């Protein structure tokens, strides 16, 4: 199913049917459908933020698909020396077949997509992480099935915001527990409601995880928020995913990584057989490969 969108800036840039088809393709590719689909294809990868999973999964994925990925860090482009983003977008878009960008400001990836004459994929911004959501949904489909209830516990950050909308599109029930001052943008719940989801946020983690099949958390202090560390550690007291919180449930545990062990999640939970985090990490590549074929293929 060809995607109706030219760019993938957030999870609901695709339709629920397109999302389902992407996950089907990703599952097939993970199962062994690995024929090169993108020969002589180049993906330009623009990074403002450091990366482990995003860089390696896209770079390896493009190689497996028969193409090539080009890392473009802050010191590799004239962007770091004052060139306007729209100028870089116009030029890069004439050289490569697609762009993946991992940026701070979501408005920047939107500007990149507006001026680049090729598909643009959001590899993460401060507002959204749709590629992670693809991997998360694939992981849930594999491990507990789509008739699932997932509890998001912790910061209402970019990963959580994309996940809530993506889960709604996939028919997965979600509950959200965040500290009062660190909740998700209310527009996220409005977007989820468009797909039939009724997400009631709470400030009580125990309420959120009741009847959950999966408990999902992420770091409390994201890149660029290091100055808020002490304030956030105080605000998030009681939100740690640990054995005490999980004592009354047999729910699996998800984390998009990197994890700050001892803060949002304990080492013993992350290393337990509850953890799906390593499947999530692997599934970044499979889900993104499916997306790359749909956006960059014939």
């Amino acid at each position: 199913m060809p995607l109706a969108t030219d760019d993938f800036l957030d999870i609901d840039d695709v339709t629920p049917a397109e999302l389902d088809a992407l996950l089907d393709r990703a599952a097939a590719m993970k199962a062994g459908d690995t024929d090169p689909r993108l020969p002589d294809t180049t993906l330009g990868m623009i990074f403002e933020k450091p990366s482990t999973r995003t860089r390696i999964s896209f770079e390896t994925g493009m190689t497996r698909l028969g193409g090539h990925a080009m890392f473009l860090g802050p010191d590799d482009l004239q962007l770091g020396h004052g060139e306007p983003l729209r100028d870089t977008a116009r030029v890069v878009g004439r050289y490569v077949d697609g762009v993946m960008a991992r940026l701070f400001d979501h408005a920047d990836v939107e500007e990149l997509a507006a001026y680049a004459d090729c598909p643009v994929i959001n590899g993460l911004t401060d507002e959204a992480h749709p590629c992670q959501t693809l991997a998360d949904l694939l992981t849930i489909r594999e491990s507990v099935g789509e008739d699932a209830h997932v509890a998001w516990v912790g910061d209402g950050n970019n990963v959580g915001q994309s996940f809530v909308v993506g889960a709604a599109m996939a028919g997965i029930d979600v509950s959200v527990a965040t500290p009062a001052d660190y909740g998700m943008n209310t527009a996220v719940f409005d977007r989820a409601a468009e797909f039939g989801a009724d997400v009631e946020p709470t400030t009580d983690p125990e309420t959120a995880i009741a009847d959950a099949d999966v408990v999902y958390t992420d770091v409390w202090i994201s890149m660029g928020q290091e100055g808020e560390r002490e304030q956030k550690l105080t605000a998030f007291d009681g939100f740690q995913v640990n054995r005490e919180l999980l004592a009354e449930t047999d729910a699996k545990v998800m984390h998009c990584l990197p994890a700050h062990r001892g803060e949002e999640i304990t080492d013993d939970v992350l290393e337990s057989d509850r953890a799906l985090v390593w499947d999530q990490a692997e599934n970044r590549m499979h889900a993104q490969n499916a997306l790359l074929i749909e956006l960059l293929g014939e």
Side-chain angles (χ1 to χ4, degrees):
M1 174 187 295
L3 300 183
T5 181
D6 293 327
D7 305 301
F8 187 67
L9 307 186
D10 210 338
I11 191 67
D12 46 351
D13 283 347
V14 299
T15 67
E18 290 171 338
L19 176 60
D20 190 58
L22 279 170
L23 296 176
D24 284 345
R25 183 188 284 277
M29 297 183 78
K30 184 174 183 179
D33 180 8
T34 56
D35 290 341
R37 306 288 181 85
L38 299 176
D40 302 319
T41 302
T42 298
L43 179 71
M45 305 191 302
I46 298 176
F47 285 86
E48 282 185 343
K49 296 185 176 187
S51 168
T52 297
R53 281 147 291 277
T54 297
R55 178 177 180 180
I56 296 172
S57 60
F58 269 108
E59 197 160 327
T60 303
M62 281 298 293
T63 299
R64 291 191 176 188
L65 293 172
H68 169 66
M70 181 187 306
F71 177 83
L72 302 168
D75 297 327
D76 299 318
L77 296 169
Q78 292 297 331
L79 271 175
H81 302 282
E83 181 174 55
L85 179 59
R86 61 184 179 272
D87 292 359
T88 297
R90 288 182 176 115
V91 171
V92 173
R94 294 190 179 208
Y95 293 144
V96 301
D97 300 287
V99 171
M100 186 283 297
R102 183 175 170 89
L103 309 173
F104 285 95
D105 193 336
H106 192 77
D108 285 345
V109 79
E110 293 177 330
E111 183 175 357
L112 188 63
Y115 286 95
D117 189 22
C118 67
V120 173
I121 297 169
N122 179 5
L124 177 143
T125 64
D126 286 346
E127 290 185 20
H129 199 353
C131 290
Q132 181 64 53
T133 298
L134 291 178
D136 297 338
L137 295 177
L138 180 60
T139 304
I140 292 167
R141 176 189 278 199
E142 292 174 337
S143 59
V144 297
E146 291 182 323
D147 184 19
H149 174 197
V150 180
W152 177 270
V153 176
D155 193 20
N157 64 11
N158 49 1
V159 175
Q161 293 191 149
S162 289
F163 178 76
V164 165
V165 178
M169 296 171 67
I172 294 171
D173 292 331
V174 180
S175 53
V176 174
T178 63
D181 294 332
Y182 295 96
M184 297 181 185
N185 190 313
T186 56
V188 169
F189 302 120
D190 293 338
R191 287 161 58 199
E194 294 178 9
F195 302 102
D198 182 17
V199 183
E200 291 293 335
T202 178
T203 57
D204 180 9
E206 292 187 1
T207 298
I209 71 170
D211 302 319
D213 301 296
V214 178
V215 176
Y216 194 172
T217 192
D218 191 14
V219 295
W220 297 338
I221 299 97
S222 298
M223 285 177 283
Q225 298 178 345
E226 289 78 9
E228 303 175 36
R229 179 177 180 80
E230 295 307 316
Q231 176 184 343
K232 278 200 156 190
L233 289 180
T234 299
F236 282 84
D237 184 38
F239 283 81
Q240 184 184 73
V241 176
N242 53 33
R243 289 193 179 276
E244 181 180 1
L245 179 65
L246 299 174
E248 301 301 320
T249 177
D250 59 359
K252 299 294 186 179
V253 175
M254 291 171 55
H255 193 304
C256 68
L257 302 176
H260 294 173
R261 298 175 185 232
E263 291 184 7
E264 77 278 357
I265 192 168
T266 56
D267 188 84
D268 58 350
V269 169
L270 196 61
E271 294 291 347
S272 72
D273 58 7
R274 289 178 180 262
L276 301 174
V277 297
W278 319 116
D279 294 328
Q280 282 178 271
E282 177 185 347
N283 285 340
R284 284 290 302 277
M285 182 177 66
H286 303 301
Q288 290 162 187
N289 280 0
L291 177 66
L292 288 166
I293 289 171
E294 295 295 344
L295 285 178
L296 307 186
E298 294 181 359

